[in-house]
Amino acid sequence: MTSLRRTDILSLIHLRSDGRRPNEIRHMSCHLGALPPTTDCGSALPTSGCSGSALVSMGLTQVLCVVRGPCDVGRRSEELPDRATLEVTMRTTPFSPPGDRRVTNPSTDRRLIEQSHLLQTALSASILLHLFPKSKISVAVMVLADDGGRLEASINAATLALMDAGIPLKDMVCACSAGRWNAGGSDEIVVDLNRREIQAATGSAGGGGGAPGGGGTSDTIYLPVATMPQRGTVVLAQCESRLSGGAEAFGEVLEVAMKGCQMVMEIMAAAVRERGAGLWKAKEGKADVILVD
Amino acid sequence: MTPPHSPHPNEPSSAPTLSPLPPCVFPVDPPPTHDPSASPSAVLTIDRNVFHNLGESPYIMFFSLSFQQSTTISQQRTKHLYYPLLITNIQSTLLLSPACVHDILSQTRAAASIRAELIPPPNNDRPNDGQIKFNVEVGPMGCMGYDVVPASSNYSGVGDTADSSSSGGGGEQASYVQRLKSNRILRLLERTLLIGGSMDAEALCVQSGVWVWRLVVDVSLTDDGGNAVDACVLAVVAALRHYRLPEVDVGGGGGGGEDVTTPSSEVEMVYRETRIIHSDDKEPTPLPLHHTPLTATFALFADEAGTTSAVSAFLDPTDREELACNGILTWSYNKYGEMCCLDFPGGCELSPSQLMKSSVLGKKRCVEICEMLETALLEAEAKAQTERMERLKNLRSLTVVPFTDEDVGTDGDVFSEDVIMANNTAETDARAEDEEYRQLALDYASGHIAASVKEDKSSMSAGKNRQYETSSLFHALLHSAKSTPLDPTLDSASATVQVKESAIDEVVDSDMKTEEDKIREIEMRHIDVEAEQKNVSFSCSTNAGEDSDEEENIVQLQSEFSVMPSDKPAAKAIAEPVANESKAKTVAPEPKPVKQQAADVEEDQIDDLVMAVKKKKSKKSKKK
C-alpha cells in the first residue's frame, strides 16, 4: 500500500478519497431477514434457528447479524433471575480483512473480544431485558467484508436484526464514526471513515504498537459513536487520540458523529418500514405506509 | 422497598444488613448483586452535594443500594468522590522495573513490571519499529472468584486467555467476566499508550533493521477492590516512567554484558556483537514517553424508574458499585489537561452534555493523580540513584584494590569479552570506544593489571567467555590497532597489517624515551610472544589477503598514525619479520613526526595508566 499522506484524504476539490464530501456517509444498504428463520424443507433440515437477521453494508464494509432468542439459557448458572442474558459474539471471516492485514484468530483476537463486549453493552442499554427473565438473547455478528468501521456496521446490523426478531427495544441504536484532521492547516471534520481514513487518523497500519502518524502534533480524532438518535443520547463512544485542546474539539466531533448517526437511523428506519410493509403485504395483500411525524 | 435492617453504627438511618467484610475479598458473582432492585436492602437519600449529578434535574436522587458501602459513600464522598490515592513502593530498578502501585482506591492494588529484550525487528516492513507487549493478568490473587487464567496480551504467541475451565461447565461465567476485564484493561492500555501517542515504537529502535527493543510490560491485579482499570493504568504508566532502558553497545566495544552474536558471513546484514551494557556501567536512559496519560473511571447509574434522564456518576467506583452500575465510562487525560482517550462502552445512555461534563471532572481527577505520580516518581528516582551509587561503590572497591591475578583474570575477561569479534565482520566503531579499547589493550599488554579508570567494566561478565580469552584478546588488539575511520573492513587478513605496524612501532619506539613508549616496548615484546603463538592460526587466513593488504598497508599505517595515535602500542607484533622490516624501513621515517604528536596525545590520555603501569612494571619484572 502506498504511503498515504493526509493531504490526500481531502483533495483540493474538497472530496475525499472515495469521492464523498466530508459530511456524507457511505452508501448504506440494509436487508432485513437475510437469513430466513426456517428453511423450506420443513423438518428434514434443521432450521437456521434464528429469530431475526440483517445484512448491513456501509460502503464496502459488510456485516451479517443473526439474532436468536429469547430462548432458554443452557446453563442455570448463567441465568439472571430478573432479566435476559445478552450474549454477543462477533467474528470475522477469513476473507474479510484486506490482504495486507495479518490473519487473526477470530475466537481469541483481543480486538474482536473487545468489540463483542462493546456491542453487548451498547445493546443492553436499549433492549428491554426485563421483559424476559431467565432467558437468553444471543446475537451473532459475522463480518463479511471489512473496509473500516466494522464496529459501527455491526451495531447497526445488530439493531436491525433485533428488530427483525421482534425483540422490544427502547430505541434503535445507530452507530457512525467521525474524525478530524488538520489537513493543510484547516480542520476538517468528516463522517463515516473508511479504512484508509482511519489509518490516516490513527496512524497505525493495522497492528498494535504502531506509531501514530500525526497524533502528536495535530489533533486527529477518530471517534466511533453509537447513539439512540430519537432520544438523543450517546450509548457508546471511543476515542483514542491525543487532543491538545482538551475536550472541546472532541465535543465538536461528537456532534458531527451524532448527526451521522441520525442519517444512519433514517436509512435504517426506512429499511424497517420496508420490511414491515413487505411482511404485511405478504399477509394482507397490500400495505400502506403512513409516516407520522 | 425498605427491608428489615439493623441499625449500622455509622449510619443511624437505613443501613444494609450485609455483614461487614473487607471489600477486596469478595468473590465476583454477577447475578445476585447485579441488579440493585432485586434485593433492595436500603434506601439511601443522597444529598446533591454528595452525588455528582450529571443530569439536568435538580431533584434529590432516590437510590437504593444493596451493598455495605452505602454508608461510606454518603460520608466519605462528600467532596472528593474518591478515596485517597497512595502510591507506594515504586521500587528502584536495575534492569527490571517493578513498580508496584498500591492504590488505596478501596484497596485496589495493581503491580506492573517491565523488562526489555533486544530482538531483531519483528515486522519486516517496519524495520524501525520496536514492540511493546502488555501482559495483563487478572487472577485469583485479585479476587476469590477469579480463576487462574493466563494473561491476555497484545501480541500473538502469548495469545489471549485460553482457559480449559471455560470449555467446562460452571466456570465459564466467571472466566468470561474475568477475560473481559483483563481484555478491557489490556485494550485500554494499548489504546492510551500506544495508539494515543505516548509511546513511539520507532523510538525503540536501536539499530535500524537489526536490533530493536521489545518492552514486555507485565501487569497483574493483586487486589481487586473496584476500578481495576485505573489502578492498572496507573501502575503501568508509573513503571514506564520509572524504567530505564539500558545502553546498548552495537558492534563490539566498551563494556561487556550479554553476548548476542550471530556469526554470519553475510555481506550486508551482519549481526554485530551487540551488548547490553549493564546499568552499573553506563547510565541507562529513560523511555521515550511523550506524555503520561492517566485514566479516570466513572460508574454510571441511570435513573431506576426511567422517568428522568438524570445519570449519576461515581468517580472511582468500588467493586460493589461496579457490579451494581449500569455503565462505565473512562476518560484519559495527561497532566497538561490534554485528552488522550475516551472509552465509553455504554450500558447507560448519556446525553452529550452529560458526557462533556463528566470529561471536566475526569480531567481534574487525572491532573491530580498525575501530580501525585510525579512526586512519587521523584522519590523513587532518588532512591534508585542512591542505591545504585552504593552498589557501584561496593563494586569499585573490589576491583581497584588488588592487582592480583584474580583481578587480572577479571580484567582480562572483561577485556576479552569486549573484544570478541567475528573474524570476518567489520565495524567502524565510535572513536571513543576505540580509545577505551586501546587503553584496555594497554593494560592487558602491560601485565594484566587493572587500570580501573574505565567505566565500562562489567561485573556480570566476570567468568564468562573464558575460553575466548586469549584468542579474542588477540583479535581485540588487532582490532583496536586496526580500526580507523578510513578502513571499514576488518578481517583477519588485515591482521597482517597490524603485524607490520607493530613491527614498525617497535622500530620507532626505540627512539622515544617517554615512559609510555618503554611500556609499549615491553608490551609489544610481551605480546610478541603471544602473537607468535597465534600466528599459526592466522597464517592461512592472512595469506589470502596479503596481496591486497600490502597495498593498503601504507595507507593504513599513515592513517593509523595520524588518526589514532594511541593505538600504536596496541599494534602487536607478529611474525613475518622479513616483510615487516622491509616495509618498516620504508615507512618508518614517515610516521616519526606524527608519532611525536601522537605521543603527546597519548600522554594526556593515559595519565592514570601511568600510575597503574608503574605498579605494573614492578610486577612485570617479577613475572618475567
Side-chain angles (χ1 to χ4, degrees):
Chain A
M1 198 175 195
T2 60
S3 71
L4 195 66
R5 297 184 331 161
R6 237 172 297 119
T7 52
D8 292 337
I9 304 289
L10 288 176
S11 71
L12 293 174
I13 46 175
H14 233 60
L15 290 184
R16 289 146 83 180
S17 61
D18 49 3
R20 287 183 282 153
R21 281 198 213 91
N23 59 349
E24 288 178 2
I25 62 172
R26 289 180 283 186
H27 172 75
M28 181 168 170
S29 73
C30 320
H31 179 47
L32 274 81
L35 234 60
T38 57
T39 59
D40 297 333
C41 310
S43 62
L45 286 176
T47 64
S48 59
C50 69
S51 313
S53 60
L55 177 68
V56 166
S57 65
M58 295 176 73
L60 294 177
T61 304
Q62 205 169 40
V63 164
L64 170 70
C65 178
V66 165
V67 166
R68 296 188 182 85
C71 60
D72 198 25
V73 181
R75 295 187 192 85
R76 287 278 171 265
S77 60
E78 286 179 10
E79 261 181 20
L80 290 177
D82 61 330
R83 57 169 61 183
T85 320
L86 183 61
E87 177 192 320
V88 175
T89 26
M90 184 159 150
R91 299 176 72 93
T92 53
T93 52
F95 48 83
S96 63
D100 56 348
R101 191 183 272 256
R102 286 179 295 227
V103 177
T104 55
N105 183 358
S107 58
T108 58
D109 183 31
R110 66 186 189 283
R111 285 198 199 90
L112 280 181
I113 292 182
E114 185 204 12
Q115 289 185 339
S116 318
H117 185 54
L118 291 175
L119 203 59
Q120 179 184 359
T121 51
L123 291 176
S124 62
S126 164
I127 304 179
L128 297 175
L129 293 169
H130 289 270
L131 295 179
F132 308 105
K134 300 189 180 183
S135 56
K136 177 171 88 165
I137 301 173
S138 89
V139 176
V141 175
M142 185 73 91
V143 177
L144 299 173
D146 183 8
D147 185 42
R150 74 180 176 194
L151 178 64
E152 297 95 357
S154 310
I155 294 177
N156 295 334
T159 304
L160 285 176
L162 285 168
M163 299 191 73
D164 190 39
I167 294 178
L169 303 175
K170 277 186 210 157
D171 188 7
M172 301 173 64
V173 182
C174 310
C176 188
S177 61
R180 192 178 99 150
W181 298 281
N182 279 337
S186 69
D187 290 351
E188 241 353 289
I189 300 183
V190 294
V191 167
D192 198 11
L193 285 72
N194 60 20
R195 164 176 295 275
R196 297 179 92 206
E197 292 162 351
I198 295 176
Q199 281 180 4
T202 60
S204 65
T217 52
S218 61
D219 292 346
T220 60
I221 307 175
Y222 167 57
L223 179 70
V225 158
T227 65
M228 294 206 210
Q230 289 169 1
R231 295 158 74 97
T233 58
V234 175
V235 172
L236 179 147
Q238 288 199 327
C239 178
E240 54 212 42
S241 53
R242 182 166 132 216
L243 299 178
S244 53
E248 292 80 27
F250 169 78
E252 295 170 10
V253 183
L254 183 65
E255 271 184 45
V256 173
M258 292 187 69
K259 286 199 200 115
C261 293
Q262 189 77 29
M263 290 191 257
V264 166
M265 192 209 80
E266 282 162 19
I267 299 177
M268 283 165 59
V272 169
R273 262 180 245 122
E274 194 183 313
R275 164 80 166 162
L279 286 177
W280 190 264
K281 195 170 185 180
K283 184 173 170 215
E284 301 280 329
K286 75 181 182 100
D288 295 321
V289 178
I290 305 169
L291 287 180
V292 177
D293 275 337
Chain B
M1 279 264 276
T2 54
H5 56 267
S6 56
H8 196 275
N10 288 351
E11 177 77 22
S13 65
S14 55
T17 54
L18 296 177
S19 59
L21 281 174
C24 58
V25 187
F26 276 50
V28 175
D29 42 356
T33 56
H34 192 71
D35 191 348
S37 64
S39 61
S41 56
V43 171
L44 191 66
T45 61
I46 297 182
D47 191 79
R48 195 153 50 103
N49 295 332
V50 174
F51 250 76
H52 179 85
N53 225 333
L54 290 191
E56 315 288 345
S57 64
Y59 334 129
I60 297 173
M61 296 289 299
F62 284 87
F63 206 91
S64 68
L65 304 165
S66 61
F67 43 84
Q68 185 231 348
Q69 273 126 351
S70 57
T71 60
T72 57
I73 290 173
S74 64
Q75 290 182 357
Q76 290 183 17
R77 293 192 164 198
T78 48
K79 291 238 166 104
H80 297 287
L81 296 179
Y82 52 87
Y83 292 111
L85 169 66
L86 243 166
I87 303 181
T88 63
N89 290 355
I90 297 188
Q91 300 171 6
S92 59
T93 66
L94 282 181
L95 290 180
L96 288 186
S97 163
C100 186
V101 178
H102 289 249
D103 297 350
I104 317 294
L105 310 158
S106 63
Q107 290 102 37
T108 302
R109 292 188 184 90
S113 112
I114 302 183
R115 58 177 195 272
E117 309 163 343
L118 264 190
I119 54 168
N123 268 339
N124 277 337
D125 49 346
R126 284 174 163 252
N128 289 336
D129 273 5
Q131 234 187 26
I132 304 170
K133 178 166 159 172
F134 293 105
N135 284 332
V136 177
E137 192 232 328
V138 176
M141 188 160 43
C143 185
M144 255 167 26
Y146 293 150
D147 294 326
V148 175
V149 153
S152 46
S153 92
N154 65 335
Y155 279 110
S156 60
V158 187
D160 219 337
T161 61
D163 335 328
S164 54
S165 63
S166 69
S167 60
E172 178 160 334
Q173 181 73 359
S175 64
Y176 176 67
V177 167
Q178 182 182 346
R179 211 186 320 157
L180 282 182
K181 195 170 198 126
S182 65
N183 185 281
R184 173 143 199 269
I185 299 174
L186 172 68
R187 284 293 298 163
L188 208 69
L189 277 175
E190 214 186 333
R191 280 204 269 126
T192 319
L193 294 175
L194 296 183
I195 307 180
S198 65
M199 287 272 343
D200 208 357
E202 291 229 8
L204 293 176
C205 177
V206 171
Q207 196 180 352
S208 171
V210 183
W211 292 118
V212 295
W213 283 114
R214 171 202 273 165
L215 287 181
V216 182
V217 181
D218 296 309
V219 191
S220 40
L221 193 62
T222 52
D223 263 331
D224 185 9
N227 200 7
V229 170
D230 272 5
C232 286
V233 170
L234 182 56
V236 168
V237 170
L240 283 174
R241 282 287 301 268
H242 190 55
Y243 182 66
R244 300 282 178 264
L245 264 186
E247 291 282 333
V248 179
D249 182 24
V250 178
E258 299 166 23
D259 195 323
V260 188
T261 55
T262 55
S264 71
S265 50
E266 293 160 28
V267 178
E268 304 217 320
M269 270 290 279
V270 180
Y271 282 97
R272 312 217 162 121
E273 292 71 22
T274 308
R275 257 157 218 87
I276 297 178
I277 302 179
H278 194 264
S279 62
D280 284 346
D281 305 327
K282 261 198 191 161
E283 190 81 22
T285 56
L287 284 175
L289 276 182
H290 297 303
H291 64 111
T292 51
L294 289 177
T295 56
T297 303
F298 295 85
L300 303 167
F301 293 86
D303 189 7
E304 272 300 313
T307 50
T308 66
S309 65
V311 167
S312 308
F314 279 53
L315 181 55
D316 184 20
T318 63
D319 53 348
R320 291 293 153 194
E321 292 157 4
E322 261 185 1
L323 291 172
C325 73
N326 294 119
I328 289 200
L329 166 64
T330 301
W331 285 97
S332 170
Y333 281 90
N334 65 7
K335 74 173 184 201
Y336 305 114
E338 300 175 357
M339 186 189 104
C340 305
C341 175
L342 157 68
D343 187 43
F344 175 31
C348 176
E349 318 173 67
L350 273 188
S351 77
S353 57
Q354 289 173 339
L355 198 63
M356 305 310 288
K357 277 192 208 164
S358 71
S359 79
V360 172
L361 191 68
K363 182 161 144 180
K364 211 170 71 162
R365 153 88 159 159
C366 283
V367 171
E368 285 171 16
I369 320 182
C370 278
E371 288 168 16
M372 273 197 253
L373 180 66
E374 297 291 333
T375 47
L377 278 176
L378 285 176
E379 287 172 20
E381 183 67 31
K383 218 169 79 167
Q385 281 291 76
T386 50
E387 279 190 28
R388 183 162 174 263
M389 284 301 136
E390 293 292 324
R391 208 170 46 239
L392 287 180
K393 275 186 206 149
N394 294 338
L395 217 67
R396 294 280 166 82
S397 63
L398 284 176
T399 52
V400 166
V401 167
F403 295 107
T404 61
D405 283 326
E406 291 146 19
D407 277 338
V408 166
T410 317
D411 200 28
D413 278 346
V414 171
F415 175 69
S416 63
E417 287 147 36
D418 299 345
V419 163
I420 293 172
M421 316 179 317
N423 288 344
N424 49 359
T425 61
E427 293 104 2
T428 51
D429 294 327
R431 177 83 66 90
E433 284 159 2
D434 284 344
E435 296 303 320
E436 288 159 2
Y437 240 2
R438 286 178 203 104
Q439 292 184 13
L440 282 173
L442 201 61
D443 299 335
Y444 190 93
S446 61
H448 310 279
I449 296 178
S452 61
V453 217
K454 297 164 293 305
E455 277 194 6
D456 22 16
K457 225 179 323 202
S458 168
S459 55
M460 277 167 46
S461 55
K464 272 194 203 174
N465 300 326
R466 276 193 173 267
Q467 67 271 20
Y468 301 129
E469 185 172 346
T470 46
S471 60
S472 56
L473 164 63
F474 176 65
H475 291 311
L477 304 180
L478 294 178
H479 166 69
S480 64
K482 166 87 184 112
S483 58
T484 65
L486 298 178
D487 184 13
T489 59
L490 181 63
D491 47 13
S492 53
S494 56
T496 56
V497 181
Q498 311 304 325
V499 172
K500 293 161 192 168
E501 291 169 9
S502 60
I504 295 162
D505 288 343
E506 203 167 358
V507 168
V508 179
D509 275 347
S510 55
D511 299 333
M512 310 292 289
K513 277 160 200 152
T514 59
E515 262 183 321
E516 289 83 4
D517 288 329
K518 282 183 194 158
I519 297 158
R520 265 173 258 120
E521 281 184 281
I522 299 169
E523 292 161 15
M524 277 191 295
R525 283 191 204 113
H526 173 74
I527 292 160
D528 270 345
V529 174
E530 274 209 356
E532 278 169 13
Q533 296 166 8
K534 300 303 162 244
N535 189 29
V536 178
S537 58
F538 284 93
S539 53
C540 48
S541 47
T542 56
N543 286 335
E546 207 171 351
D547 292 335
S548 57
D549 286 341
E550 285 183 356
E551 283 137 20
E552 299 169 30
N553 188 15
I554 297 167
V555 174
Q556 282 176 0
L557 282 175
Q558 284 176 343
S559 63
E560 181 83 37
F561 283 120
S562 58
V563 168
M564 309 286 197
S566 66
D567 75 10
K568 283 190 304 301
K572 311 318 160 227
I574 285 201
E576 300 176 34
V578 177
N580 287 348
E581 280 162 13
S582 59
K583 284 233 176 278
K585 303 262 165 50
T586 53
V587 188
E590 290 167 315
K592 263 189 195 164
V594 189
K595 268 208 103 172
Q596 288 290 341
Q597 306 165 3
D600 296 335
V601 178
E602 267 183 333
E603 278 174 348
D604 297 336
Q605 288 165 350
I606 327 177
D607 285 329
D608 284 322
L609 207 50
V610 174
M611 302 297 300
V613 162
K614 276 183 189 159
K615 293 180 191 168
K616 289 179 197 177
K617 274 177 93 176
S618 58
K619 288 212 93 185
K620 209 100 202 26
S621 54
K622 277 188 225 159
K623 275 193 174 178
K624 295 246 166 164

